[in-house]
Amino acid sequence: MTEYASLTPAELAPYIQHTLIAVGTTREQTIAHAQQCVEHGFDAAMVAGSWVGLTAEVLAGTGITVASALDFPTVGVMTSAGKAAEAAELVRLGARELDIGVQVGWLRSGDHDAFREDIAGVVRAAGVPVKVMLELPLLTPSERDAAVDLACEAGAAYLKNASSGAIEVASPASIRYLVDRAPAGVLVKASGGIKSRDQIVALLEAGAAKVGTSAGVEVVTDSADEDTESY
């Protein structure tokens, strides 16, 4: 069993998907982000779809995964057809993992078939691991159970507690719930407001296989302070 608390920064970095998805991100910032991933050995560079092609060029041959998100940061606003088409295009441009938002409103309306097919359409179109952002704090206990079951039936490779810190600061309790509910073979990624080593260790100990944060560099260099922002 891994003793996460004793991991060095270099050993912790491969669990982190370093994220840069913000309005106004420039070409130079995107290149710098990709280079940070190489320098620190992060698992993946998570970037907006508009920067996937450039990020893939910078990271070619490095072994760092290019990842992106769709129907994000505002989730549940895209059509299912639009999400599937965007997923296929992101993979064509070089993305090898995708995080997706879900139609919370459809789930809460009891339209389980549409909720599941919305995810399944992306899984089929992408052909790469898909991580589903379930927005657990917005759901009742029964809706949470249904969301997990439907996402797994749709072919999700990973379940996520939330899309960002605006929904939930990732908690060990949410991660344990997902780990306990998910069938064998479906992994859990923690995300939302993660900006310290202690947070990441607690989430990994709870069962997370990966964590997503925009404060990856601050975490591994132990430079985060009260002004550090993370989504």
Side-chain angles (χ1 to χ4, degrees):
M1 183 175 178
T2 302
E3 294 291 339
Y4 296 110
S6 63
L7 295 180
T8 66
E11 292 169 332
L12 194 66
Y15 292 96
I16 297 173
Q17 300 206 317
H18 189 37
T19 303
L20 177 63
I21 299 179
V23 175
T25 298
T26 65
R27 178 184 181 86
E28 288 70 25
Q29 289 171 323
T30 301
I31 292 172
H33 181 74
Q35 292 172 336
Q36 288 172 351
C37 291
V38 176
E39 177 183 356
H40 296 286
F42 293 126
D43 173 73
M46 173 69 71
V47 298
S50 52
W51 291 116
V52 163
L54 172 63
T55 304
E57 290 178 15
V58 175
L59 292 179
T62 66
I64 307 295
T65 299
V66 179
S68 190
L70 57 90
D71 203 13
F72 174 82
T74 301
V75 303
V77 298
M78 292 181 69
T79 66
S80 298
K83 289 167 75 171
E86 177 73 349
E89 177 64 4
L90 293 175
V91 172
R92 187 188 71 79
L93 291 170
R96 292 297 173 261
E97 292 185 13
L98 296 178
D99 292 24
I100 67 168
V102 293
Q103 298 287 357
V104 173
W106 292 355
L107 178 72
R108 297 173 73 179
S109 299
D111 197 344
H112 289 185
D113 289 343
F115 181 89
R116 178 177 53 236
E117 181 56 27
D118 181 65
I119 300 168
V122 173
V123 171
R124 289 193 298 269
V128 301
V130 171
K131 304 190 274 313
V132 180
M133 302 183 279
L134 293 174
E135 312 295 44
L136 295 182
L138 304 182
L139 307 176
T140 66
S142 62
E143 288 170 347
R144 291 184 180 195
D145 291 350
V148 170
D149 295 348
L150 293 166
C152 293
E153 290 171 12
Y158 286 81
L159 304 175
K160 294 181 62 177
N161 55 301
S163 58
S164 71
I167 301 297
E168 179 188 54
V169 175
S171 71
S174 289
I175 301 309
R176 288 191 196 96
Y177 163 74
L178 291 174
V179 171
D180 290 343
R181 185 79 186 176
V186 177
L187 302 177
V188 174
K189 176 183 172 181
S191 67
I194 300 169
K195 56 182 181 181
S196 76
R197 172 190 172 83
D198 288 346
Q199 276 180 290
I200 292 180
V201 168
L203 294 166
L204 294 176
E205 289 177 340
K210 296 182 181 181
V211 300
T213 176
S214 59
V217 172
E218 289 85 349
V219 169
V220 298
T221 60
D222 195 25
S223 59
D225 57 29
E226 60 183 14
D227 295 325
T228 299
E229 296 182 355
S230 175
Y231 47 86

Short mmCIF file of all heavy atoms in Angstrom, two decimals, residues 84-121:
data_model
loop_
_atom_site.label_atom_id
_atom_site.label_comp_id
_atom_site.label_asym_id
_atom_site.label_seq_id
_atom_site.Cartn_x
_atom_site.Cartn_y
_atom_site.Cartn_z
N ALA A 84 -20.62 15.27 -28.41
CA ALA A 84 -19.98 14.15 -29.10
C ALA A 84 -19.08 14.65 -30.23
O ALA A 84 -17.96 14.15 -30.41
CB ALA A 84 -21.05 13.20 -29.65
N ALA A 85 -19.57 15.63 -30.97
CA ALA A 85 -18.76 16.17 -32.07
C ALA A 85 -17.50 16.86 -31.54
O ALA A 85 -16.41 16.70 -32.11
CB ALA A 85 -19.60 17.16 -32.89
N GLU A 86 -17.65 17.62 -30.47
CA GLU A 86 -16.49 18.29 -29.89
C GLU A 86 -15.49 17.26 -29.34
O GLU A 86 -14.27 17.44 -29.47
CB GLU A 86 -16.94 19.23 -28.77
CG GLU A 86 -15.82 19.94 -28.02
CD GLU A 86 -15.17 21.06 -28.82
OE1 GLU A 86 -15.43 21.17 -30.03
OE2 GLU A 86 -14.37 21.81 -28.22
N ALA A 87 -16.00 16.20 -28.73
CA ALA A 87 -15.10 15.16 -28.21
C ALA A 87 -14.26 14.57 -29.32
O ALA A 87 -13.04 14.39 -29.18
CB ALA A 87 -15.93 14.08 -27.51
N ALA A 88 -14.89 14.24 -30.44
CA ALA A 88 -14.15 13.65 -31.56
C ALA A 88 -13.09 14.62 -32.08
O ALA A 88 -11.96 14.22 -32.41
CB ALA A 88 -15.12 13.28 -32.68
N GLU A 89 -13.43 15.90 -32.15
CA GLU A 89 -12.47 16.89 -32.65
C GLU A 89 -11.30 17.07 -31.68
O GLU A 89 -10.14 17.20 -32.11
CB GLU A 89 -13.18 18.23 -32.87
CG GLU A 89 -12.28 19.37 -33.32
CD GLU A 89 -11.63 19.14 -34.69
OE1 GLU A 89 -11.93 18.13 -35.34
OE2 GLU A 89 -10.82 20.00 -35.08
N LEU A 90 -11.57 17.08 -30.39
CA LEU A 90 -10.49 17.23 -29.41
C LEU A 90 -9.51 16.06 -29.48
O LEU A 90 -8.29 16.25 -29.37
CB LEU A 90 -11.07 17.35 -27.99
CG LEU A 90 -11.88 18.63 -27.71
CD1 LEU A 90 -12.49 18.57 -26.31
CD2 LEU A 90 -11.01 19.86 -27.86
N VAL A 91 -10.04 14.87 -29.68
CA VAL A 91 -9.16 13.70 -29.81
C VAL A 91 -8.35 13.80 -31.10
O VAL A 91 -7.15 13.49 -31.14
CB VAL A 91 -9.98 12.41 -29.76
CG1 VAL A 91 -9.11 11.19 -30.09
CG2 VAL A 91 -10.62 12.24 -28.38
N ARG A 92 -9.00 14.26 -32.18
CA ARG A 92 -8.27 14.42 -33.44
C ARG A 92 -7.11 15.40 -33.27
O ARG A 92 -6.02 15.23 -33.85
CB ARG A 92 -9.22 14.93 -34.54
CG ARG A 92 -8.59 14.98 -35.93
CD ARG A 92 -9.48 15.67 -36.94
NE ARG A 92 -9.57 17.10 -36.71
CZ ARG A 92 -8.64 17.98 -37.08
NH1 ARG A 92 -7.56 17.56 -37.71
NH2 ARG A 92 -8.81 19.27 -36.84
N LEU A 93 -7.30 16.41 -32.45
CA LEU A 93 -6.27 17.43 -32.25
C LEU A 93 -5.16 16.98 -31.29
O LEU A 93 -4.12 17.62 -31.20
CB LEU A 93 -6.91 18.71 -31.71
CG LEU A 93 -7.82 19.46 -32.69
CD1 LEU A 93 -8.59 20.56 -31.98
CD2 LEU A 93 -6.99 20.04 -33.84
N GLY A 94 -5.43 15.88 -30.55
CA GLY A 94 -4.36 15.37 -29.69
C GLY A 94 -4.74 15.08 -28.25
O GLY A 94 -3.89 14.60 -27.48
N ALA A 95 -5.96 15.37 -27.84
CA ALA A 95 -6.39 15.06 -26.47
C ALA A 95 -6.46 13.54 -26.29
O ALA A 95 -6.96 12.84 -27.15
CB ALA A 95 -7.74 15.69 -26.17
N ARG A 96 -5.98 13.07 -25.15
CA ARG A 96 -6.00 11.63 -24.87
C ARG A 96 -6.82 11.30 -23.64
O ARG A 96 -6.94 10.12 -23.28
CB ARG A 96 -4.57 11.11 -24.72
CG ARG A 96 -3.80 11.16 -26.04
CD ARG A 96 -4.45 10.24 -27.09
NE ARG A 96 -3.87 10.36 -28.43
CZ ARG A 96 -4.39 11.09 -29.41
NH1 ARG A 96 -5.52 11.78 -29.19
NH2 ARG A 96 -3.83 11.15 -30.58
N GLU A 97 -7.38 12.30 -22.99
CA GLU A 97 -8.36 12.12 -21.93
C GLU A 97 -9.31 13.32 -21.97
O GLU A 97 -8.87 14.43 -22.27
CB GLU A 97 -7.72 12.02 -20.54
CG GLU A 97 -6.88 10.77 -20.33
CD GLU A 97 -6.37 10.65 -18.89
OE1 GLU A 97 -6.85 11.40 -18.02
OE2 GLU A 97 -5.49 9.80 -18.67
N LEU A 98 -10.58 13.06 -21.67
CA LEU A 98 -11.57 14.14 -21.67
C LEU A 98 -12.37 14.14 -20.37
O LEU A 98 -12.79 13.09 -19.89
CB LEU A 98 -12.54 13.97 -22.84
CG LEU A 98 -11.96 14.07 -24.25
CD1 LEU A 98 -13.06 13.83 -25.28
CD2 LEU A 98 -11.30 15.42 -24.48
N ASP A 99 -12.56 15.32 -19.81
CA ASP A 99 -13.48 15.51 -18.68
C ASP A 99 -14.74 16.15 -19.25
O ASP A 99 -14.66 17.08 -20.06
CB ASP A 99 -12.86 16.44 -17.63
CG ASP A 99 -11.68 15.81 -16.91
OD1 ASP A 99 -11.05 14.89 -17.49
OD2 ASP A 99 -11.37 16.23 -15.79
N ILE A 100 -15.91 15.67 -18.81
CA ILE A 100 -17.15 16.21 -19.38
C ILE A 100 -18.14 16.58 -18.28
O ILE A 100 -18.21 15.94 -17.24
CB ILE A 100 -17.82 15.22 -20.36
CG1 ILE A 100 -18.33 13.98 -19.64
CG2 ILE A 100 -16.85 14.84 -21.46
CD1 ILE A 100 -19.24 13.12 -20.50
N GLY A 101 -18.91 17.63 -18.57
CA GLY A 101 -20.02 17.99 -17.71
C GLY A 101 -21.20 17.09 -17.99
O GLY A 101 -21.25 16.38 -19.01
N VAL A 102 -22.15 17.06 -17.06
CA VAL A 102 -23.34 16.22 -17.23
C VAL A 102 -24.60 17.09 -17.20
O VAL A 102 -24.58 18.23 -16.75
CB VAL A 102 -23.43 15.14 -16.14
CG1 VAL A 102 -22.32 14.14 -16.29
CG2 VAL A 102 -23.42 15.78 -14.75
N GLN A 103 -25.68 16.50 -17.66
CA GLN A 103 -26.96 17.19 -17.69
C GLN A 103 -27.68 16.97 -16.36
O GLN A 103 -28.59 16.15 -16.24
CB GLN A 103 -27.79 16.69 -18.87
CG GLN A 103 -27.17 16.94 -20.22
CD GLN A 103 -27.23 18.41 -20.63
OE1 GLN A 103 -27.79 19.24 -19.92
NE2 GLN A 103 -26.66 18.73 -21.78
N VAL A 104 -27.27 17.74 -15.35
CA VAL A 104 -27.87 17.60 -14.02
C VAL A 104 -29.38 17.80 -14.08
O VAL A 104 -30.15 17.11 -13.40
CB VAL A 104 -27.22 18.60 -13.03
CG1 VAL A 104 -27.96 18.58 -11.69
CG2 VAL A 104 -25.75 18.27 -12.83
N GLY A 105 -29.82 18.74 -14.89
CA GLY A 105 -31.26 19.02 -14.99
C GLY A 105 -32.04 17.83 -15.51
O GLY A 105 -33.17 17.57 -15.07
N TRP A 106 -31.46 17.10 -16.47
CA TRP A 106 -32.14 15.91 -16.98
C TRP A 106 -32.25 14.85 -15.88
O TRP A 106 -33.27 14.19 -15.75
CB TRP A 106 -31.40 15.34 -18.19
CG TRP A 106 -31.45 16.23 -19.39
CD1 TRP A 106 -32.16 17.39 -19.52
CD2 TRP A 106 -30.77 16.03 -20.64
NE1 TRP A 106 -31.95 17.94 -20.77
CE2 TRP A 106 -31.11 17.13 -21.47
CE3 TRP A 106 -29.90 15.06 -21.12
CZ2 TRP A 106 -30.61 17.25 -22.77
CZ3 TRP A 106 -29.40 15.18 -22.41
CH2 TRP A 106 -29.75 16.27 -23.23
N LEU A 107 -31.16 14.69 -15.12
CA LEU A 107 -31.19 13.71 -14.04
C LEU A 107 -32.25 14.07 -13.01
O LEU A 107 -33.04 13.22 -12.59
CB LEU A 107 -29.81 13.65 -13.37
CG LEU A 107 -29.69 12.70 -12.19
CD1 LEU A 107 -29.69 11.25 -12.66
CD2 LEU A 107 -28.42 12.99 -11.39
N ARG A 108 -32.29 15.34 -12.63
CA ARG A 108 -33.24 15.77 -11.61
C ARG A 108 -34.67 15.75 -12.13
O ARG A 108 -35.62 15.76 -11.35
CB ARG A 108 -32.85 17.17 -11.12
CG ARG A 108 -31.50 17.19 -10.44
CD ARG A 108 -31.02 18.57 -10.11
NE ARG A 108 -31.74 19.14 -9.00
CZ ARG A 108 -31.48 20.36 -8.50
NH1 ARG A 108 -30.52 21.09 -9.01
NH2 ARG A 108 -32.18 20.80 -7.50
N SER A 109 -34.82 15.73 -13.45
CA SER A 109 -36.15 15.62 -14.05
C SER A 109 -36.58 14.17 -14.22
O SER A 109 -37.69 13.91 -14.71
CB SER A 109 -36.17 16.32 -15.42
OG SER A 109 -35.86 17.69 -15.29
N GLY A 110 -35.70 13.24 -13.84
CA GLY A 110 -36.03 11.83 -13.95
C GLY A 110 -35.79 11.23 -15.31
O GLY A 110 -36.17 10.08 -15.56
N ASP A 111 -35.15 11.98 -16.22
CA ASP A 111 -34.90 11.46 -17.56
C ASP A 111 -33.55 10.74 -17.56
O ASP A 111 -32.55 11.23 -18.11
CB ASP A 111 -34.90 12.61 -18.58
CG ASP A 111 -35.06 12.09 -19.99
OD1 ASP A 111 -34.86 10.88 -20.20
OD2 ASP A 111 -35.35 12.91 -20.88
N HIS A 112 -33.54 9.56 -16.96
CA HIS A 112 -32.30 8.82 -16.80
C HIS A 112 -31.72 8.33 -18.13
O HIS A 112 -30.51 8.30 -18.32
CB HIS A 112 -32.53 7.64 -15.86
CG HIS A 112 -32.73 8.04 -14.44
ND1 HIS A 112 -32.86 7.16 -13.39
CD2 HIS A 112 -32.81 9.29 -13.87
CE1 HIS A 112 -33.02 7.81 -12.27
NE2 HIS A 112 -33.01 9.10 -12.52
N ASP A 113 -32.58 7.94 -19.05
CA ASP A 113 -32.08 7.45 -20.34
C ASP A 113 -31.31 8.56 -21.08
O ASP A 113 -30.25 8.31 -21.65
CB ASP A 113 -33.24 6.96 -21.21
CG ASP A 113 -33.84 5.65 -20.68
OD1 ASP A 113 -33.18 4.98 -19.87
OD2 ASP A 113 -34.97 5.32 -21.08
N ALA A 114 -31.86 9.77 -21.07
CA ALA A 114 -31.19 10.88 -21.75
C ALA A 114 -29.88 11.23 -21.05
O ALA A 114 -28.87 11.52 -21.70
CB ALA A 114 -32.11 12.10 -21.79
N PHE A 115 -29.88 11.20 -19.71
CA PHE A 115 -28.66 11.48 -18.95
C PHE A 115 -27.56 10.48 -19.31
O PHE A 115 -26.42 10.86 -19.56
CB PHE A 115 -28.98 11.40 -17.45
CG PHE A 115 -27.82 11.69 -16.55
CD1 PHE A 115 -27.53 12.98 -16.13
CD2 PHE A 115 -27.01 10.65 -16.07
CE1 PHE A 115 -26.46 13.25 -15.29
CE2 PHE A 115 -25.95 10.91 -15.23
CZ PHE A 115 -25.68 12.21 -14.83
N ARG A 116 -27.90 9.20 -19.33
CA ARG A 116 -26.91 8.16 -19.65
C ARG A 116 -26.45 8.26 -21.09
O ARG A 116 -25.24 8.18 -21.38
CB ARG A 116 -27.53 6.78 -19.40
CG ARG A 116 -26.60 5.60 -19.75
CD ARG A 116 -27.26 4.27 -19.40
NE ARG A 116 -28.57 4.18 -20.00
CZ ARG A 116 -29.71 3.95 -19.32
NH1 ARG A 116 -29.68 3.74 -18.03
NH2 ARG A 116 -30.86 3.89 -19.94
N GLU A 117 -27.34 8.49 -22.03
CA GLU A 117 -26.97 8.53 -23.44
C GLU A 117 -26.13 9.76 -23.76
O GLU A 117 -25.28 9.71 -24.65
CB GLU A 117 -28.23 8.50 -24.31
CG GLU A 117 -27.96 8.51 -25.81
CD GLU A 117 -27.04 7.38 -26.28
OE1 GLU A 117 -27.02 6.32 -25.63
OE2 GLU A 117 -26.35 7.57 -27.30
N ASP A 118 -26.36 10.85 -23.04
CA ASP A 118 -25.54 12.05 -23.23
C ASP A 118 -24.07 11.73 -22.96
O ASP A 118 -23.18 12.16 -23.71
CB ASP A 118 -26.04 13.13 -22.26
CG ASP A 118 -25.27 14.43 -22.37
OD1 ASP A 118 -25.34 15.07 -23.45
OD2 ASP A 118 -24.60 14.80 -21.39
N ILE A 119 -23.81 10.96 -21.93
CA ILE A 119 -22.43 10.55 -21.60
C ILE A 119 -21.94 9.49 -22.58
O ILE A 119 -20.81 9.57 -23.08
CB ILE A 119 -22.37 10.00 -20.16
CG1 ILE A 119 -22.82 11.06 -19.16
CG2 ILE A 119 -20.96 9.50 -19.82
CD1 ILE A 119 -23.07 10.52 -17.75
N ALA A 120 -22.80 8.52 -22.86
CA ALA A 120 -22.40 7.42 -23.75
C ALA A 120 -22.02 7.92 -25.14
O ALA A 120 -21.10 7.39 -25.78
CB ALA A 120 -23.52 6.39 -23.85
N GLY A 121 -22.71 8.96 -25.60
CA GLY A 121 -22.39 9.51 -26.92
C GLY A 121 -20.97 10.06 -26.97
O GLY A 121 -20.26 9.90 -27.98
#
